[in-house]
Amino acid sequence: MQPTCLPNTNNSRPNPTSKLKKNPMGANPFTFLALLHLLLFHSVIAVIPAAANIGTAEPFIGVNIGTDLTDLLPPADLATFLKAQQIKHVRLYDADPGILSALAGAGVSVAVGVPNNQLLALGSSPATADAWVARHVLPFHPATPISAVAVGDEVPAALPSALPLLLPALRSLSAALAAANLSSIPVSTPLPFSVVLDPFPPSQAYFNQTLANSFFLPLLRFLADTASPLMLNLYPYYAFVQSRGAVPLDNALFKPLSPSLEEIDPNTLLHYTNVLDAMVDAAYVSMRNLNFTGVPVLITETGWPHNGSRRDEPYATANYASTYTSNLIRHMLDRRGTPLRPEATPSVYIYELFDEDLRPGPLSEAHWGLFYGNGTPAYLLNVAGAGGFLANDTTNRTYCVAAEEADRRSLQAALDWACGPGRANCSEIQPGESCYQPNDVRSHASYAFDSYYQMQGKAAGSCFFQGVAMITTTDPSHGKCIFPGSKQRSATGAGTNKAESSKAVVSPTSRLGKGRLYEHIVPMILNSILLVVCVSI
């Protein structure tokens, strides 16, 4: 059965007040026997070699800050707000000097943007690029660390006439930064997902062929030469609503599915538990088809609207927005990578910090933020593993550990399942890692159980393991071994495997057109059925 290709629609935002909607190129799910995944999993996870420059920096979760709203906080108050919410990475759609000045010394890294209407000048004159760097980077960096320069916004969709100017602008700005001894600041351009065609299964994805030689080859060569990422705006929300039922809602929301509803790439037998991972892998395959395997993906936008027209946008609700964003944060902080590249977890900017009530278009356009413009939460997040990120930790912390009366054989079977079909993150209990000692089944099982429990959002029944696990409110962390359910992790969660339940607010807004989406993916499963098999062996 061949996947269906959904209509391709462009969605971009060339300036703060205009934005075109993008369409996912759709797809059809493939399902296989769940047991086949169990047997073949280890033979297929290394289909593509690791990118050389992936992993040189810890993956992070940041937020986009749009300014198309009535009551945007003054820059000084915005800086205070970001610090209170423990947000360490933000992306601006321009290089607002007031915000950049206010963030000096705040410990917030900023990706600054070049609006589409500046491409002509920057692409035509290297001197203009020198002046741009002198005006928008040098006065602020490093007091306000500039982490990247995003040139244009979804240019192929939003302003295709400017596409010939995009690469010259990238090169000119990169050269200007290098001349200022700032070559470590990457320069790239956020692209809509619509540039990836036939995205599911990911193994058959490819870039729009009409742009392959004229745009993508030189772009990827530039990114590889300058150690810059491929920036993509990825919106499972649009993949779902525009798929005409081909993309399951639970896959778009990172929710587990039953084995019969799993989505599997028939060419690699890789199982996909969410739409976003499939989109990222489709991008990696598209780059590989052009012989580039060392360019990392940076997700410059993703999110879910919390409000919309009840008739035309029934899935734009606070409940779905909370589910998507909460699961996204947990998924990224777990640092699992993607099925194709488990070693490479992309960094991501959530769209967005504040509702932009001045944005035109459908009702949902004004409701993508985590907060309203005055800083009031738009809805609560239920996040396991966010540490202080997005603050407001009000959920009681619980952990899942081995039951005291459990026998060794049953614990071993449950441990094997948790680290295998259950897909718990068991990296910290490997030899030499922080939770390897004490080296016994009970200790290792407790860590694996808690990883699975937190990964499932502490859902009912996720701490059972055929009766060999129990829930506790006592933090089982010890020494340098921090359990996934522990509160002690960095503000961004980068570089750790601790987890916790936190509640944070989120609010609406939207930007360029929320990307070209596509995808559907598979759940986490092989659940209690396979566990029963393991325990009975």
Side-chain angles (χ1 to χ4, degrees), residues 32-51:
F32 254 31
L33 292 176
L35 190 55
L36 185 59
H37 168 58
L38 182 61
L39 296 174
L40 299 179
F41 175 75
H42 294 291
S43 66
V44 296
I45 60 173
V47 174
I48 293 182

Side-chain angles (χ1 to χ4, degrees), residues 73-276:
L73 296 174
D77 293 342
L78 175 61
T80 301
F81 180 79
L82 292 173
K83 291 169 68 176
Q85 293 296 326
Q86 299 193 36
I87 295 171
K88 303 294 185 183
H89 301 270
V90 300
R91 175 185 170 223
L92 305 179
Y93 289 91
D94 53 16
D96 186 290
I99 295 177
L100 291 174
S101 295
L103 291 177
V108 178
S109 296
V110 184
V112 295
V114 176
N116 287 349
N117 58 16
Q118 297 181 21
L119 291 177
L120 176 60
L122 290 170
S124 305
S125 169
T128 302
D130 292 335
W132 192 93
V133 170
R135 180 180 180 183
H136 297 292
V137 177
L138 296 182
F140 311 106
H141 184 86
T144 299
I146 305 300
S147 60
V149 177
V151 183
D153 207 351
E154 298 193 344
V155 175
L159 195 62
S161 61
L163 198 58
L165 299 168
L166 183 53
L167 281 166
L170 290 169
R171 294 188 181 108
S172 295
L173 283 170
S174 181
L177 288 168
N181 295 318
L182 294 175
S183 58
S184 60
I185 297 178
V187 178
S188 186
T189 182
L191 298 174
F193 188 64
S194 56
V195 299
V196 177
L197 302 184
D198 212 0
F200 194 87
S203 60
Q204 68 184 27
Y206 58 94
F207 285 125
N208 186 326
Q209 295 298 289
T210 61
L211 299 176
N213 292 325
S214 62
F215 177 68
F216 284 108
L217 273 173
L219 172 65
L220 292 173
R221 190 173 297 114
F222 167 80
L223 297 179
D225 290 344
T226 58
S228 300
L230 179 70
M231 294 179 171
L232 288 172
N233 295 342
L234 306 180
Y235 285 93
Y237 169 76
Y238 285 108
F240 166 69
V241 299
Q242 297 172 356
S243 71
R244 299 181 179 90
V247 176
L249 176 61
D250 285 353
N251 282 353
L253 293 171
F254 292 88
K255 294 176 70 173
L257 303 179
S258 65
S260 63
L261 296 178
E262 286 190 7
E263 296 184 20
I264 301 173
D265 188 324
N267 300 313
T268 62
L269 301 184
L270 290 173
H271 288 221
Y272 285 88
T273 61
N274 63 82
V275 169
L276 194 72

